[in-house]
Amino acid sequence: MTRIGFIGVGNMGGPMARNLIDAGHEVTAFDLSPMALDATVAAGATAATSAADAASGVEVVITMLPAGQHVRGVYLDDGGILGAAAAGTLFIDSSTIDVDSARAVAKAAGEAGFEMLDAPVSGGVGGAEAGTLTFMCGGSEDAFARAKPLLDVMGKTIVLAGPSGNGQAAKICNNMILGASMIAVSEAFVMAEKLGLDHQKLFDISSTASGQCWAMTSYCPVPGPVPASPANRDYQAGFTAAMMAKDLRLAQEAAQSVRAATPLGAAAAAVYSLFENAGNGEVDFSGVIRMIRGEK
Ligand code: NAD
């Protein structure tokens, strides 16, 4: 049994914390949203009165917050969790944030004598609930070894990608591939429609030919060929277009900071910003095919 402080128990953090509780760990939770906190307390957590309160007297602190500014605030502000934790506490940040913030917070944790892992996830709310998330980790081998038994409770694939920030780097590289490939697959299906080529025929050919990719074979943006894909339930998310737009913006920030040429990543970021700004933020990201088709 490990004593864990869990800060940010929203759509992802809530089920992650519940899986830790179900595995026999003692979880003290904090969230600015009383509704999110109450749901986690109902699942067996103890309520903390602040982030610092959740981080004191525990062995491991896990944060699952919206963006870099929230993570910097919770860790680094006056009254932040680095000042409240006991010596030897391990910090794991599973939020998806910019690489610079991840490295800045890990550096501050290191200077305060703590080990820290950035450990963003993929797999969405379904993966969080089922305990099948993929964790992409950045930090030391030692921090990874300490975190692994807990990450194993919440996930299925746990990878150390290198030093601090590399978990976030892996996450945005992956999602840049995903965003660009979903747009490419969507363009191909819409062009097929105009050329009189049946969706299923294109799928049967491309899914076993050189156009094969995850956006085609696991998350097909037209209904029919992949029955589990959101296209079959009116693009109910899944992974929202707003989340994809966020990750593509993070990828562009990172690309600019290291002068990486990512013209397709930039185009994908622009397409998803347009889609989000047209009121589709909560739609599944594969719904972008509707905009490509010229629908609303
Ligand atoms: P969410 O908005 O449901 O949850 C975030 C929670 O953090 C909220 O309950 C909010 O009240 C709380 N919070 C914000 N600031 C806080 C603070 N200062 N102190 C305490 N609590 C605070 O978001 P989510 O969907 O759970 O996503 C969390 C992170 O996971 C994000 O970085 C997101 O990009 C990433 N992510 C989400 C998904 C997904 O499918 N939802 C998938 C992969 C990664």
Side-chain angles (χ1 to χ4, degrees), residues 6-16 30-37 50-51 63-71 73-74 93-97 120-126 133 168 171 175 238-240 243 246-247 250:
F6 208 118
I7 300 164
V9 284
N11 291 327
M12 294 292 290
M16 290 163 72
F30 179 69
D31 197 297
L32 292 178
S33 153
M35 210 168 74
L37 185 55
S50 65
T63 46
M64 192 51 165
L65 298 163
Q69 78 256 29
H70 307 97
V71 173
V74 162
D93 179 41
S94 282
S95 326
T96 300
I97 65 170
V121 301
S122 72
V125 174
L133 293 168
Q168 299 294 350
K171 165 90 186 173
N175 279 16
F239 184 55
T240 65
M243 291 274 180
K246 171 194 166 182
D247 290 357
L250 289 177

Side-chain angles (χ1 to χ4, degrees), residues 3-24:
R3 281 174 289 125
I4 301 164
F6 208 118
I7 300 164
V9 284
N11 291 327
M12 294 292 290
M16 290 163 72
R18 282 200 291 281
N19 283 333
L20 291 168
I21 294 164
D22 290 348

Side-chain angles (χ1 to χ4, degrees), residues 153-230:
V153 171
M154 299 180 282
K156 200 170 65 173
T157 307
I158 325 288
V159 184
L160 180 61
S164 292
N166 278 27
Q168 299 294 350
K171 165 90 186 173
I172 54 172
C173 286
N174 180 72
N175 279 16
M176 189 172 78
I177 296 170
L178 178 59
S181 59
M182 181 55 77
I183 293 167
V185 169
S186 297
E187 288 182 358
F189 273 108
V190 171
M191 187 165 80
E193 289 165 9
K194 290 181 187 287
L195 292 170
L197 172 61
D198 186 59
H199 287 163
Q200 188 66 48
K201 288 283 178 222
L202 174 60
F203 179 85
D204 291 346
I205 293 162
S206 280
S207 64
T208 55
S210 46
Q212 189 276 335
C213 61
W214 190 90
M216 164 82 69
T217 56
S218 295
Y219 219 84
C220 192
V222 294
V226 177
S229 78

